[in-house]
Amino acid sequence: MAGTGESSRSWERETVPMVMTIVSPMLAQRDVYSLLLVSPWCYRALLSVSTIWEVLDLHEMSKAGERLRSALLLGKVLQGLQHLNLNGCQKISDVGIEAITSCCPQLREFYLYWNVRLTNVGITHIVRNCRELRSLNLSGCKNISDHCLHLIGDNCQKLQDLDITRCTKLTDRGLQQILLKCSLLQRLNLYALSSLTDAAYKKIACLSHLTFLDLCGAQNLTDEGLSCIAGCKNLASLNLTWCVRVTDMGVIAIAEGCRSLELLSLHGIISVTDACLEALSKFSSNSLMTLDVNGCVGIKKRSREHLLQLFPLLRCFKVHS
Amino acid sequence: MAKMIKLVSGDGAEFEVEEEVAFQSKIIKDIVADADDVIPLPTVSSKVLIQVIEYCRKHAAVNSFPLSPSSSAAAAASSSSSISYSKPVSDPALRAWDNEFVKLNNSSLFDIVIAANYLDIEELVDLVLETVADRIKGKQAQEIRRQFNIENDFTPEEEEALRRENSWAFQNN
């Protein structure tokens, strides 16, 4: 509606910025930034819409470090940032982590998948600066050690979701810190941490809110450890792929303890038999929707038809790892 | 006899509408609950109010005779989240009508965004916002200015500085 005089001024300075702020929450990040550049009126109006500055997603972008540095120039605005996705941004170092976390005290979700440069130093900054953390993804950050878990346990009491897949330097001592101190945890991913033992696994029972547990590759997990885990009554998703020391005893304990299981993988466990399926069917037949018994040669009746008889809600027969 | 509500536009024109039509606006519904049947809407012009009433009339007629359980379920479900797109209108004839309705120039469209947002008419807000978003998506700042006839009020220096500062947000940089 550009023309001369008042009506065009009101279009530029009031109508357009107002509409842009109303529409901004439904736009992609890239479009929001285009709008910033449209006019000074849009720029100012958009900076005041706090919800669009809550999420920053740089996952797998090239030159993520530079981008992050530039984003920090938005300074004040990023104080409200709640969700930061740096998955696959492999060049970001502890220094970058310090910079971003010191600007974002409200951060709730921080994803750093596959960042091999991250060390205890970076973790120190995260836990000191971001006291509101609910969800932390450190999958593949193979340079972090038990000290990190001590730091997280001491500082992140509100943590609900932790992924330490493939952080192979971690040992029982470190994990125990998390299990004892992060009592609000609902999701815990310990995929490919094959050096852990029952000494730590038993303490998973402390997590009364746990609904999701991934123990794929836990080759030292025994029935004793698994029986303790059965104390997590709210478990809905349990991945025991390649937990080769587990037998019927452990799985039956799970069946009796966790009666709202929706996903279970016993993939590759050769010592479980039909007995454990019967126990599971007794308690979780009205909730189980995914069951992976591929490679469970001890189970004789594992055709689709047999499984559907025991678990009528089954939709999915293989858990992808 | 259906209960009537009187809406008064910013330029003083009066419109009598059935209660169920007016109640598509959550604001109006709340005000009327306090027993006021004449509702002044000083920020809405009669031109815009006519269009909004047309939309509400059309949608009230459909909602009072839900075609299928899914359409009323969709209406119920869409009242929860404020940011997501509402569930698409399930009746194809109504959807076609909606698509015709939003074939508006930018000025009229923006007026309706502001009015619908103010009056809190959820389905209309989602409809017009989706239309606006489509006109913005994937465009650079200069194209957006051209689309909506916006002057570039930045000085060349300001624009260059902002572009540099924000270049990080664009993937192909």
Side-chain angles (χ1 to χ4, degrees):
Chain A
M1 207 52 176
T4 52
E6 254 192 53
S7 69
S8 85
R9 263 209 298 282
S10 133
W11 174 251
E12 317 259 330
R13 297 184 187 199
E14 289 160 18
T15 310
V16 169
M18 192 180 319
V19 169
M20 294 313 178
T21 58
I22 298 171
V23 77
S24 59
M26 19 166 77
L27 296 175
Q29 185 174 285
R30 190 221 142 98
D31 292 324
V32 172
Y33 284 97
S34 295
L35 283 182
L36 279 181
L37 299 175
V38 163
S39 74
W41 318 104
C42 286
Y43 185 86
R44 252 168 267 156
L46 284 169
L47 285 192
S48 68
V49 181
S50 58
T51 48
I52 61 181
W53 305 108
E54 283 173 2
V55 173
L56 197 57
D57 190 336
L58 297 177
H59 82 273
E60 285 166 33
M61 277 188 156
S62 61
K63 303 190 197 162
E66 278 172 40
R67 295 176 191 266
L68 209 47
R69 227 176 297 133
S70 303
L72 290 179
L73 291 174
L74 285 170
K76 231 179 162 156
V77 154
L78 283 186
Q79 266 175 22
L81 195 68
Q82 291 189 10
H83 172 112
L84 179 57
N85 186 338
L86 298 176
N87 283 349
C89 299
Q90 302 197 290
K91 299 217 175 125
I92 299 211
S93 66
D94 289 332
V95 172
I97 299 294
E98 178 184 8
I100 189 76
T101 56
S102 57
C103 289
C104 306
Q106 301 300 321
L107 211 55
R108 289 184 164 218
E109 289 153 10
F110 199 1
Y111 300 162
L112 286 155
Y113 162 74
W114 207 12
N115 185 323
V116 299
R117 295 191 186 200
L118 183 69
T119 70
N120 297 344
V121 172
I123 298 284
T124 309
H125 294 302
I126 295 175
V127 305
R128 294 242 169 93
N129 292 322
C130 306
R131 314 305 308 236
E132 297 297 321
L133 264 187
R134 304 284 192 273
S135 179
L136 187 55
N137 183 346
L138 300 173
S139 168
C141 299
K142 57 190 175 80
N143 274 314
I144 63 170
S145 68
D146 282 344
H147 184 55
C148 288
L149 299 186
H150 282 257
L151 287 169
I152 295 172
D154 283 339
N155 290 285
C156 302
Q157 313 297 320
K158 299 185 186 180
L159 206 59
Q160 294 173 6
D161 184 348
L162 179 63
D163 188 340
I164 40 178
T165 295
R166 279 192 240 276
C167 298
T168 44
K169 289 188 179 172
L170 303 176
T171 75
D172 287 336
R173 296 203 93 128
L175 182 58
Q176 278 161 358
Q177 290 300 307
I178 298 290
L179 301 175
L180 291 171
K181 296 184 180 167
C182 297
S183 50
L184 297 181
L185 269 179
Q186 295 173 19
R187 299 174 60 93
L188 183 57
N189 198 331
L190 304 174
Y191 182 117
L193 292 175
S194 47
S195 55
L196 300 177
T197 76
D198 278 350
Y201 295 137
K202 283 188 193 174
K203 299 232 166 21
I204 293 179
C206 299
L207 302 176
S208 56
H209 298 272
L210 204 62
T211 58
F212 171 101
L213 179 60
D214 192 331
L215 288 167
C216 178
Q219 59 192 12
N220 298 324
L221 174 69
T222 72
D223 289 328
E224 216 185 313
L226 196 51
S227 303
C228 292
I229 293 173
C232 298
K233 308 246 156 278
N234 295 311
L235 260 187
S237 176
L238 179 58
N239 187 349
L240 299 172
T241 300
W242 300 120
C243 295
V244 293
R245 293 181 66 179
V246 165
T247 75
D248 281 340
M249 192 173 97
V251 180
I252 291 173
I254 289 288
E256 290 172 356
C258 311
R259 303 192 180 188
S260 8
L261 272 182
E262 293 166 17
L263 179 152
L264 177 64
S265 174
L266 303 171
H267 186 121
I269 304 180
I270 55 177
S271 30
V272 292
T273 74
D274 298 79
C276 79
L277 288 191
E278 275 155 33
L280 284 164
S281 176
K282 200 160 144 202
F283 298 106
S284 289
S285 61
N286 56 354
S287 58
L288 204 62
M289 295 193 285
T290 302
L291 177 64
D292 188 341
V293 289
N294 292 293
C296 299
V297 295
I299 302 178
K300 300 305 169 202
K301 299 191 196 145
R302 35 187 184 104
S303 69
R304 216 164 259 229
E305 293 69 40
H306 282 127
L307 294 177
L308 280 168
Q309 261 169 20
L310 291 172
F311 307 104
L313 297 183
L314 274 190
R315 294 278 169 282
C316 182
F317 298 84
K318 185 163 167 54
V319 170
H320 297 280
S321 44
Chain B
M1 171 70 188
K3 175 134 188 272
M4 303 301 277
I5 309 247
K6 193 180 283 189
L7 304 176
V8 185
S9 72
D11 38 330
E14 294 181 354
F15 301 87
E16 270 214 320
V17 292
E18 296 80 7
E19 193 179 73
E20 63 165 0
V21 173
F23 278 9
Q24 306 255 321
S25 156
K26 293 204 191 103
I27 296 284
I28 292 179
K29 199 169 179 184
D30 286 345
I31 297 177
V32 167
D34 289 340
D36 231 348
D37 293 348
V38 178
I39 315 238
L41 301 171
T43 57
V44 186
S45 71
S46 45
K47 170 180 175 242
V48 176
L49 192 51
I50 289 171
Q51 290 173 301
V52 169
I53 289 174
E54 186 191 350
Y55 175 92
C56 292
R57 197 157 263 151
K58 183 71 180 177
H59 279 246
V62 171
N63 284 337
S64 50
F65 303 103
L67 285 185
S68 64
S70 61
S71 62
S72 44
S78 68
S79 57
S80 47
S81 162
S82 55
I83 291 187
S84 62
Y85 284 89
S86 74
K87 320 304 172 241
V89 170
S90 51
D91 173 10
L94 188 60
R95 208 164 350 137
W97 189 92
D98 281 354
N99 288 339
E100 278 305 304
F101 182 81
V102 289
K103 286 188 178 158
L104 299 162
N105 63 28
N106 292 314
S107 170
S108 301
L109 185 62
F110 278 28
D111 285 341
I112 296 189
V113 168
I114 294 173
N117 187 56
Y118 167 68
L119 293 169
D120 198 359
I121 304 171
E122 184 154 347
E123 282 183 8
L124 179 55
V125 169
D126 288 340
L127 175 65
V128 289
L129 284 189
E130 199 179 332
T131 310
V132 172
D134 282 342
R135 296 185 192 184
I136 294 174
K137 267 180 209 164
K139 291 193 167 83
Q140 305 214 3
Q142 175 65 351
E143 295 167 271
I144 296 177
R145 279 186 219 121
R146 224 173 305 144
Q147 162 78 53
F148 298 110
N149 232 333
I150 301 172
E151 288 273 328
N152 183 359
D153 276 341
F154 287 119
T155 67
E157 295 76 28
E158 282 170 339
E159 193 175 352
E160 186 44 44
L162 265 187
R163 194 175 298 282
R164 234 179 316 132
E165 273 173 26
N166 292 297
S167 65
W168 61 271
F170 301 97
Q171 175 63 300
N172 299 321
N173 250 314

